[in-house]
Amino acid sequence: MTSAQVGSEKTPEKTSEEGYERGLGSRQVQMIAIGGAIGVGLFLGAGANIAKAGPSLIFMYALAGVIVFFIMRALGELLLYRPVSGSFAEYSREFLGPFFGYFTGWTYWLMWVVTGMAELTAAAIYVNYWAPGVPRWVTALVFLVMLFGVNLISVKVFGELEFWFSMVKVTALIGMIVIGLGVLTFGFSSAGDTAAVSNLWAFDGFFPKGIGSSLMTLQGVMFAYLAVELVGVTAGESENPEKTLPKAINTLPWRIALFYVGALTVILCVVKWTEFAPGVSPFVEAFAKIGIPAGAGIVNFVVLTAALSSCNSGMYSTGRMLRTLADNGEAPKVFSKLSTTKTPAFGIAISVAFMGIGVVLNYVVPEKAFGYVMSVATAAGIWTWLMILISHVLYRRGVVAGRLPASSFPAPGGSKCSWIAIAFLLFVTGLIAYDADSRVCLYVMAGWAAALGVGWTILKSRTPQVTAPR
């Protein structure tokens, strides 16, 4: 289906959200949005990226943050045009055709399954801080089962747990920033003598390993921003999406400025970048250097909470995406059924089973598990974001031509910012292809695309009405 065909006669009917409980209030949606911007990519992945890029990582997070805001404003315009659960697949289906809806829905499911693996891996690493003798796969399995139980209860329980998970992360990050500023201003603690703003350029400059090395961190930086789009998945279960979604999206810039750019700036002022290493949370390392009693342990608890929060969100979103696919005939009908607590329990269960592969990876290759799953999740996330942006461009064309109603939350600059974001994401994909360590994810995605292509062919032969343009 081309953009010219979309809505030529009438406004598209809203996708049914029948059966879901609109149990997510404004307080919970706001915190889900905030929590989505604070994850293991910042708390753990930033360590390896600091080692690669030094203080210039701050600029990379700021640059990527601008692009992510463009993506979210594009999504926001679409959400207020037609708020539906499983929105990315629905918009791809409407503006690009049924195959793209099918492909995007399954790829977003893959992204969250793989992200769940990354979060479980990170959680196991954090627990090793206190209990180095406990095998990582055991810890990952325990957390997997625990969060699975939470997601089966109800969306209200999920929302409440995610609210408090996010509250811990936000409070702790603000506390870290305040303490870091105190060290810089008053010079207390064992890091006080060496803490200085000049640490941002005193050790081989702001780009100590060159601009090229800094740009290569963009794939890890983009992984850190995965999940900001989760607010779109909540649209079908929000009490008042017209009010809560714009507010959640418009607060994104200050969240990025404070929690990413601000936190990293303070940490790299307090502790020089050469003291950070891959595989160790820079926040835990910084508090160990500051020497606050039990400070590093407290921060380790916070980053553990962040990992569990993201995995919790992953279970939530995968079940909803599978139900959207099933409702459109692109997945087995059993995924469309809701439990007595109005959750897509079977879809969540299958997703959790696949997340269990992360437990296996932690058993087979514990040192490389995080890097493998991070690169695959990033590639799947880039596809999802591209589909949001392209759908937005086509939607704007429909609005300008008078074929589609205008959204109550238009993106600034129309589709111009979406084009900029598309170019940026294609550039990051090129960087992934250039990097031998992360290139493997493109092979995985090629295999995934081939598998989905086979599935589409079978679907087309068995139920042609599902694959026909609508």
Side-chain angles (χ1 to χ4, degrees):
M1 184 187 295
T2 65
S3 59
Q5 292 171 301
V6 176
S8 57
E9 299 297 331
K10 62 181 180 178
T11 302
E13 292 180 7
K14 291 189 177 183
T15 298
S16 172
E17 302 299 325
E18 183 179 356
Y20 279 136
E21 177 185 8
R22 289 195 176 268
L24 295 177
S26 175
R27 170 179 64 94
Q28 293 165 326
V29 171
Q30 291 298 318
M31 270 300 171
I32 288 171
I34 291 173
I38 309 170
V40 71
L42 172 65
F43 283 127
L44 182 61
N49 287 327
I50 289 172
K52 290 179 183 177
S56 65
L57 183 63
I58 298 167
F59 176 74
M60 294 300 118
Y61 270 106
L63 174 62
V66 171
I67 299 301
V68 167
F69 181 62
F70 290 167
I71 295 169
M72 289 304 294
R73 282 305 303 257
L75 176 60
E77 183 165 2
L78 291 170
L79 285 171
L80 271 296
Y81 149 68
R82 193 162 70 94
V84 289
S85 189
S87 55
F88 324 116
E90 285 299 311
Y91 301 136
S92 299
R93 184 174 293 107
E94 177 181 347
F95 295 105
L96 290 160
F99 174 76
F100 286 92
Y102 159 84
F103 196 99
T104 301
W106 278 109
T107 301
Y108 192 67
W109 174 83
L110 173 70
M111 187 202 89
W112 268 114
V113 166
V114 177
T115 299
M117 295 181 197
E119 307 297 351
L120 290 170
T121 301
I125 291 172
Y126 298 145
V127 171
N128 274 166
Y129 177 85
W130 294 298
V134 178
R136 290 184 185 175
W137 71 269
V138 173
T139 307
L141 180 60
V142 170
F143 286 138
L144 183 68
V145 173
M146 179 186 74
L147 293 176
F148 176 48
V150 168
N151 271 269
L152 290 182
I153 299 172
S154 75
V155 69
K156 285 186 177 180
V157 173
F158 158 79
E160 199 61 28
L161 182 64
E162 196 58 29
F163 174 84
W164 289 108
F165 272 158
S166 295
M167 183 66 77
V168 169
K169 290 187 287 186
V170 170
T171 304
L173 265 181
I174 292 174
M176 292 177 203
I177 292 171
V178 170
I179 291 172
L181 290 174
V183 173
L184 279 171
T185 304
F186 302 107
F188 64 81
S189 87
S190 56
D193 293 337
T194 56
V197 176
S198 60
N199 283 340
L200 295 179
W201 59 82
F203 301 92
D204 299 322
F206 190 69
F207 290 89
K209 297 193 176 182
I211 294 177
S213 182
S214 298
L215 289 174
M216 292 306 294
T217 64
L218 280 174
Q219 53 181 306
V221 169
M222 296 311 289
F223 172 77
Y225 285 123
L226 292 183
V228 293
E229 76 292 323
L230 181 63
V231 68
V233 182
T234 69
E237 294 170 276
S238 301
E239 290 176 350
N240 187 359
E242 290 78 11
K243 180 180 179 181
T244 58
L245 296 181
K247 185 176 179 181
I249 291 170
N250 279 336
T251 56
L252 183 63
W254 73 258
R255 283 184 268 133
I256 290 173
L258 179 63
F259 299 132
Y260 279 93
V261 178
L264 282 174
T265 300
V266 170
I267 280 182
L268 290 173
C269 287
V270 172
V271 182
K272 58 185 180 181
W273 72 269
T274 54
E275 297 189 27
F276 296 107
V280 178
S281 169
F283 294 88
V284 175
E285 185 71 16
F287 270 70
K289 297 288 184 185
I290 291 173
I292 296 176
I298 293 171
V299 175
N300 197 64
F301 170 76
V302 172
V303 296
L304 171 61
T305 300
L308 296 179
S309 167
S310 187
C311 189
N312 186 42
S313 296
M315 291 183 187
Y316 169 86
S317 59
T318 51
R320 273 70 185 173
M321 192 56 72
L322 284 179
R323 188 181 187 227
T324 297
L325 288 163
D327 286 344
N328 285 286
E330 297 163 347
K333 283 296 180 186
V334 67
F335 289 125
S336 65
K337 295 180 180 178
L338 296 179
S339 67
T340 55
T341 56
K342 298 183 180 180
T343 62
F346 187 75
I348 295 172
I350 294 298
S351 302
V352 167
F354 277 93
M355 286 181 190
I357 295 173
V359 177
V360 177
L361 285 174
N362 275 283
Y363 179 75
V364 178
V365 284
E367 300 305 320
K368 297 182 178 180
F370 183 78
Y372 285 158
V373 295
M374 182 191 76
S375 61
V376 174
T378 303
I382 286 174
W383 172 270
T384 300
W385 288 339
L386 281 171
M387 290 301 98
I388 291 171
L389 293 166
I390 294 171
S391 296
H392 178 250
V393 169
L394 296 177
Y395 165 71
R396 290 293 308 175
R397 287 182 184 175
V399 172
V400 172
R403 295 188 302 271
L404 295 174
S407 170
S408 61
F409 187 49
S415 59
K416 294 184 182 66
C417 291
S418 290
W419 280 115
I420 294 171
I422 288 170
F424 181 85
L425 293 179
L426 292 176
F427 174 68
V428 173
T429 303
L431 293 177
I432 292 174
Y434 180 77
D435 185 5
D437 290 335
S438 60
R439 194 181 303 149
V440 65
C441 76
L442 298 182
Y443 302 142
V444 172
M445 291 304 296
W448 176 252
L452 288 181
V454 171
W456 183 255
T457 302
I458 295 172
L459 193 64
K460 198 169 185 176
S461 64
R462 292 183 177 178
T463 53
Q465 70 276 10
V466 171
T467 61
R470 304 172 191 177

